[in-house]
Amino acid sequence: MPRPDVSDARRAQIIRAAIAVFQRDGFTNARMADIAQEADLSVGGVYWYYKGKQELVTDVMHHIFTTDLERMRAALDDERPLLERINEQIDSFIAVYRESSELRRLVQDMYAQALIDEERRAILAEYMQAFRTVMAAMTRQGIEQGLMRPDLDPDALATALFGMFDGILMQHSIDPDAVDWELSFRAGSAALIGGLMRHP
Amino acid sequence: MPRPDVSDARRAQIIRAAIAVFQRDGFTNARMADIAQEADLSVGGVYWYYKGKQELVTDVMHHIFTTDLERMRAALDDERPLLERINEQIDSFIAVYRESSELRRLVQDMYAQALIDEERRAILAEYMQAFRTVMAAMTRQGIEQGLMRPDLDPDALATALFGMFDGILMQHSIDPDAVDWELSFRAGSAALIGGLMRHP
Amino acid sequence: MPRPDVSDARRAQIIRAAIAVFQRDGFTNARMADIAQEADLSVGGVYWYYKGKQELVTDVMHHIFTTDLERMRAALDDERPLLERINEQIDSFIAVYRESSELRRLVQDMYAQALIDEERRAILAEYMQAFRTVMAAMTRQGIEQGLMRPDLDPDALATALFGMFDGILMQHSIDPDAVDWELSFRAGSAALIGGLMRHP
Amino acid sequence: MPRPDVSDARRAQIIRAAIAVFQRDGFTNARMADIAQEADLSVGGVYWYYKGKQELVTDVMHHIFTTDLERMRAALDDERPLLERINEQIDSFIAVYRESSELRRLVQDMYAQALIDEERRAILAEYMQAFRTVMAAMTRQGIEQGLMRPDLDPDALATALFGMFDGILMQHSIDPDAVDWELSFRAGSAALIGGLMRHP
DNA sequence: AATGAATGAGGATTCATTCAT
DNA sequence: AATGAATGAATCCTCATTCAT
């Protein structure tokens, strides 16, 4: 009678612990021993499932972004009216962050890591590109449908919109008391999208 | 006859070296020995002027932001027409980054550091607040002057605008080939500010 | 009906795997996990038959030398003419090495181990002594039979002869291209034995 | 007033300590911390002078062989009678080992290392080749001068002779009580060289 | 003022060994 | 009998910091 395979459970358990420790201490300061303890494992136990700290960091990054990426890609094939979908994207962006704003610490650290490590940079680049692709496609549809001004640059605007969201969260994580991120999200996107409309 | 005090020159020399090394390797990976070498000093020489790595990092952060902070504060007391001053802010933001885009690596790292170290968080928070204050004051003036819609939230919009700039640069630093930051800057701010106007 | 006892087969299987891995990586670098894999067993499976790495190393050493030792001891009771037996020893030494020169890596490693571990030293000492005993006995017979010069020291010459063989193989294993071990064997033993003869 | 440069002294001090520890524990088992302690330094102190354990091992190997190598090479340019020089080589080989027989442990370990590490193999190969070159050159001179039999293979005999010396020491280090290495040296080389002579 | 040799705590990683199943 | 997940002690190496000169 073979024992049930606990590999997936263990890996999940380790990832959960790693996220917790990385959030608290940052990728560089985090110690493997602490991750092991947080995962109720020995150091060697963590190494049974992960080759090393690098791989753990990379896997955490993938793990963090996977859900978001899938949602964004799904939005591309959506058939509903444009403004509805745009607002849905914004709403889901807000919802995700509201539920797990503490993950922001990780994202911030990833941005720093990306400048030093090529593999991590590539992961982030893929994620960002996916978001921009969705936003740019929506703008293109808006232009085609006559909703938006025809002289717009969809890619530049997608970059600006994603940047706005990201930059607002950044400020919130640095100074939570001074920044009402949700209000800024809504005000900023309303103004920005308003500026795109043909007859505002 | 006392020798001339070279302290300021030395500190500047060390800061310059530290910026170079921090940019290349990140705050955490950077080694004091490398900074010393870059500054043409011995390790002990660096410690003569700086208590330790922490202080050096902090000082670099202050140094990086000081110029920007002063320019922004000056804009508040400016008497010229609003749109002119807004555009000037945008232009100078662009100019600064164009000349020293490699400093972005440091900023990104600072964001990560801020989540771990309270003192560094405070420095960043101050800088961000200063920018938002300037932008919000301008929006308030725009509303008072009847240029902009009266239902706007100046603070939220300032957060959104600063976030947009910062977020665009973030994307550019992660994926330079995929992001035309200057175009995104101009397209984004045009749309955003356009959305604020009473009669666009 | 009890299952057939596979213990001996398993041990042989493990020894075979251990020899392969020890040859490749050396005793110290070799990992139990690799030996287990090579033996198509789990790590725990190896430990079922062997108390630990130490015992495995020791057993491999015994295993390697057993065949040689038995052949040498047989030569002592041989009734054939002296020179014939000497040449046979030399030929079989050559034959053994020709067929399994890769085992030399193990022997070399054993010599190093012997200096650190007393039990392993004893195993080697026994093997070497057996060879010397055979060679010395032959020399004594040669002197008694009037073939060789009466002033010879049989033990010293046995040491020299065994050393010569061993030392030639050592050089070959270090620098295979520079050393024709078989030629050196034959030239060396011809000269050495020639120097022992009464009327050469 | 600059302090005197202690680098050479320190390196010598570390090498001395490393030799002691390597002799006692073998290259692989030896711990950097023990070497540091033996050298009256901290671990970091050792690393100030040596990049790592590898470099320390390599340097020790070079250090051990340098003297021998130089003596051997000098013998090639010697103008004295052949037999005198041969005997001198043998005598000096004996003298060196008599004074530092405990170094043999290191040599033995090097042989084992050589099978695993290419750089170390090359160091040993160079040393062995140098010895063989000297011995072969002497044999060639012996043949040319009519002292030795013309059908000899100088290279093979050089290999055999060096092997004999090395192999005798090997046996001595494994079983000091059973092996009179000096006697074996003299008996073995007398017989071997006797076997080379034209009119013995 | 400045040097740079020296310190030593800290952290990632390895691997022989164990043991619940 | 056999598995293989899990343990944790051991060890190499790094680097911020100190201090005698």
Side-chain angles (χ1 to χ4, degrees):
Chain A
M1 182 179 63
R3 277 165 287 177
D5 187 353
V6 295
S7 293
D8 288 343
R10 281 286 177 284
R11 290 182 74 95
Q13 175 182 352
I14 292 169
I15 286 289
R16 226 178 302 128
I19 288 176
V21 175
F22 286 153
Q23 262 169 9
R24 198 182 58 217
D25 303 329
F27 288 120
T28 313
N29 287 344
R31 283 154 36 201
M32 289 300 273
D34 287 342
I35 293 173
Q37 190 172 42
E38 179 84 24
D40 276 318
L41 276 176
S42 65
V43 177
V46 174
Y47 277 90
W48 181 261
Y49 293 98
Y50 284 92
K51 245 180 127 96
K53 197 179 178 184
Q54 305 279 331
E55 194 179 302
L56 203 44
V57 170
T58 304
D59 216 54
V60 163
M61 290 180 68
H62 279 301
H63 189 263
I64 295 281
F65 286 139
T66 296
T67 320
D68 274 9
L69 257 177
E70 281 168 2
R71 175 174 47 70
M72 288 180 203
R73 281 173 175 150
L76 272 183
D77 303 326
D78 201 312
E79 301 288 331
R80 287 171 298 161
L82 184 62
L83 278 181
E84 190 176 323
R85 281 151 54 202
I86 289 179
N87 282 324
E88 192 190 71
Q89 280 294 309
I90 293 171
D91 286 343
S92 67
F93 210 94
I94 288 177
V96 166
Y97 187 61
R98 201 187 273 147
E99 282 166 31
S100 57
S101 66
E102 69 284 358
L103 281 185
R104 186 68 205 177
R105 303 172 67 92
L106 277 187
V107 175
Q108 223 121 312
D109 210 348
M110 288 176 201
Y111 288 156
Q113 296 293 315
L115 301 179
I116 292 174
D117 182 277
E118 168 53 28
E119 186 187 1
R120 297 176 192 176
R121 196 201 59 71
I123 296 173
L124 269 183
E126 185 193 0
Y127 169 72
M128 291 176 156
Q129 187 56 54
F131 193 99
R132 287 193 297 261
T133 302
V134 175
M135 299 313 265
M138 288 181 176
T139 310
R140 267 186 209 98
Q141 292 175 2
I143 296 173
E144 285 163 15
Q145 296 172 11
L147 277 169
M148 294 179 179
R149 291 160 46 202
D151 61 331
L152 299 173
D153 181 324
D155 291 317
L157 287 165
T159 303
L161 188 56
F162 176 67
M164 191 177 81
F165 288 169
D166 216 48
I168 289 169
L169 297 186
M170 188 73 73
Q171 291 170 76
H172 175 68
S173 69
I174 300 290
D175 199 351
D177 297 333
V179 173
D180 184 333
W181 66 271
E182 200 168 333
L183 185 62
S184 301
F185 251 61
R186 300 211 180 272
S189 50
L192 185 57
I193 293 169
L196 306 180
M197 292 299 158
R198 194 150 196 164
H199 308 291
Chain B
M1 182 180 71
R3 274 166 292 179
D5 188 354
V6 294
S7 291
D8 288 344
R10 281 282 179 280
R11 290 181 73 95
Q13 175 183 354
I14 293 170
I15 287 288
R16 225 178 303 128
I19 288 176
V21 176
F22 286 153
Q23 261 171 9
R24 201 182 54 216
D25 302 330
F27 288 120
T28 312
N29 288 340
R31 283 170 308 177
M32 291 299 274
D34 287 342
I35 293 172
Q37 189 175 40
E38 180 83 24
D40 278 317
L41 276 176
S42 65
V43 176
V46 174
Y47 275 88
W48 182 261
Y49 292 98
Y50 285 92
K51 229 180 142 146
K53 196 180 180 184
Q54 304 281 331
E55 193 179 305
L56 201 45
V57 170
T58 304
D59 217 52
V60 164
M61 289 179 69
H62 279 301
H63 189 263
I64 293 281
F65 285 138
T66 296
T67 322
D68 272 9
L69 260 177
E70 282 169 0
R71 175 174 47 71
M72 287 179 206
R73 280 172 175 150
L76 271 184
D77 303 327
D78 201 315
E79 301 287 333
R80 286 171 299 159
L82 184 62
L83 277 181
E84 191 175 322
R85 281 153 52 203
I86 289 178
N87 283 324
E88 193 188 71
Q89 279 297 306
I90 293 170
D91 286 344
S92 69
F93 210 96
I94 289 177
V96 165
Y97 186 61
R98 206 189 268 147
E99 281 166 31
S100 58
S101 66
E102 68 283 358
L103 281 184
R104 185 67 204 178
R105 303 174 66 90
L106 277 186
V107 175
Q108 222 120 313
D109 211 347
M110 287 176 202
Y111 288 156
Q113 296 295 316
L115 301 179
I116 292 173
D117 183 278
E118 169 52 27
E119 186 186 2
R120 297 176 193 176
R121 197 200 58 72
I123 297 173
L124 268 183
E126 184 194 1
Y127 167 72
M128 289 176 159
Q129 188 54 55
F131 192 101
R132 287 192 299 260
T133 301
V134 174
M135 298 312 265
M138 288 181 176
T139 309
R140 270 188 208 94
Q141 292 175 4
I143 295 172
E144 285 163 13
Q145 296 172 14
L147 274 171
M148 293 179 180
R149 293 161 43 200
D151 60 333
L152 299 174
D153 180 322
D155 291 318
L157 287 166
T159 303
L161 189 57
F162 176 68
M164 191 178 79
F165 288 169
D166 216 46
I168 288 169
L169 297 186
M170 188 72 74
Q171 291 171 77
H172 176 68
S173 70
I174 300 289
D175 199 350
D177 298 331
V179 172
D180 185 332
W181 67 271
E182 201 167 335
L183 186 62
S184 301
F185 252 62
R186 301 214 178 269
S189 50
L192 185 57
I193 293 169
L196 305 181
M197 292 301 158
R198 195 149 194 165
H199 309 288
Chain C
M1 185 180 66
R3 272 167 293 179
D5 187 355
V6 295
S7 291
D8 287 345
R10 281 282 179 282
R11 290 181 73 96
Q13 176 183 353
I14 293 169
I15 286 289
R16 224 178 304 128
I19 288 176
V21 175
F22 286 153
Q23 262 170 9
R24 200 182 55 218
D25 303 329
F27 287 119
T28 313
N29 287 341
R31 284 170 308 177
M32 291 300 273
D34 286 342
I35 294 172
Q37 189 175 43
E38 180 83 24
D40 278 318
L41 276 176
S42 66
V43 176
V46 173
Y47 275 88
W48 182 263
Y49 293 98
Y50 285 92
K51 232 180 139 145
K53 198 181 180 185
Q54 305 280 331
E55 193 179 305
L56 202 45
V57 171
T58 305
D59 218 52
V60 163
M61 290 179 68
H62 279 301
H63 188 264
I64 295 280
F65 285 139
T66 296
T67 321
D68 272 10
L69 261 177
E70 281 169 359
R71 175 174 47 69
M72 287 179 204
R73 280 172 176 153
L76 271 184
D77 303 327
D78 201 317
E79 299 291 332
R80 286 172 300 160
L82 183 62
L83 278 181
E84 190 175 323
R85 280 153 54 204
I86 289 178
N87 283 324
E88 194 189 71
Q89 279 296 307
I90 293 171
D91 286 344
S92 69
F93 210 94
I94 288 177
V96 166
Y97 187 61
R98 203 188 270 147
E99 281 166 29
S100 57
S101 65
E102 69 283 358
L103 281 184
R104 186 68 204 176
R105 302 174 66 92
L106 278 186
V107 176
Q108 224 121 310
D109 210 347
M110 288 176 202
Y111 288 156
Q113 297 294 316
L115 302 178
I116 292 174
D117 182 277
E118 169 52 27
E119 186 187 2
R120 296 173 194 179
R121 197 200 58 71
I123 297 173
L124 268 182
E126 184 194 359
Y127 167 72
M128 291 176 157
Q129 188 54 56
F131 192 101
R132 288 192 298 261
T133 302
V134 174
M135 300 311 265
M138 289 180 175
T139 311
R140 268 186 209 97
Q141 291 175 5
I143 297 174
E144 284 163 15
Q145 295 173 14
L147 276 169
M148 294 179 178
R149 292 160 44 199
D151 59 333
L152 299 174
D153 180 324
D155 291 318
L157 287 166
T159 303
L161 188 58
F162 176 69
M164 191 176 81
F165 288 170
D166 216 48
I168 289 169
L169 296 186
M170 188 72 73
Q171 291 171 76
H172 175 68
S173 70
I174 300 290
D175 199 349
D177 298 331
V179 172
D180 185 332
W181 66 272
E182 203 169 333
L183 185 63
S184 301
F185 252 60
R186 300 209 179 275
S189 50
L192 184 58
I193 292 170
L196 305 180
M197 292 300 158
R198 194 151 195 162
H199 307 291
Chain D
M1 181 181 64
R3 276 164 290 177
D5 187 354
V6 295
S7 293
D8 288 342
R10 281 286 177 284
R11 289 181 75 95
Q13 174 183 352
I14 292 170
I15 286 287
R16 226 178 303 129
I19 288 176
V21 176
F22 286 154
Q23 263 170 7
R24 198 182 57 218
D25 302 331
F27 288 121
T28 313
N29 288 343
R31 282 155 35 201
M32 291 302 274
D34 287 342
I35 294 173
Q37 191 174 41
E38 179 83 24
D40 277 317
L41 276 175
S42 66
V43 175
V46 173
Y47 277 90
W48 181 262
Y49 293 98
Y50 285 92
K51 243 179 130 98
K53 197 180 177 183
Q54 306 279 332
E55 194 178 303
L56 202 45
V57 170
T58 304
D59 216 53
V60 163
M61 290 181 69
H62 279 300
H63 188 263
I64 295 280
F65 285 138
T66 297
T67 322
D68 274 9
L69 257 178
E70 281 167 2
R71 175 174 47 72
M72 288 180 203
R73 281 173 175 151
L76 272 184
D77 303 325
D78 201 315
E79 301 287 334
R80 286 171 299 160
L82 184 62
L83 279 180
E84 190 176 321
R85 281 152 55 202
I86 288 178
N87 283 323
E88 192 189 72
Q89 279 295 307
I90 293 171
D91 286 344
S92 68
F93 210 94
I94 288 176
V96 165
Y97 187 60
R98 205 188 269 147
E99 282 166 31
S100 58
S101 67
E102 69 285 355
L103 281 185
R104 185 68 205 180
R105 303 172 67 90
L106 277 186
V107 175
Q108 224 120 311
D109 210 347
M110 288 176 201
Y111 288 156
Q113 297 292 315
L115 300 179
I116 293 174
D117 183 277
E118 169 52 28
E119 187 187 2
R120 298 176 192 177
R121 197 200 59 72
I123 296 173
L124 269 184
E126 186 193 359
Y127 168 72
M128 291 177 157
Q129 188 56 55
F131 192 100
R132 287 193 297 261
T133 302
V134 175
M135 299 313 265
M138 289 181 174
T139 309
R140 269 188 208 95
Q141 292 175 3
I143 296 172
E144 285 163 14
Q145 297 173 12
L147 276 171
M148 293 180 180
R149 292 161 46 200
D151 59 332
L152 299 173
D153 181 322
D155 292 318
L157 287 165
T159 303
L161 188 58
F162 176 67
M164 193 177 80
F165 289 168
D166 215 46
I168 289 169
L169 297 185
M170 188 72 72
Q171 292 171 75
H172 175 68
S173 69
I174 300 290
D175 199 350
D177 298 332
V179 173
D180 184 334
W181 66 271
E182 201 167 334
L183 185 61
S184 301
F185 251 62
R186 302 217 179 268
S189 49
L192 186 57
I193 293 170
L196 306 180
M197 292 299 159
R198 194 151 193 164
H199 307 291

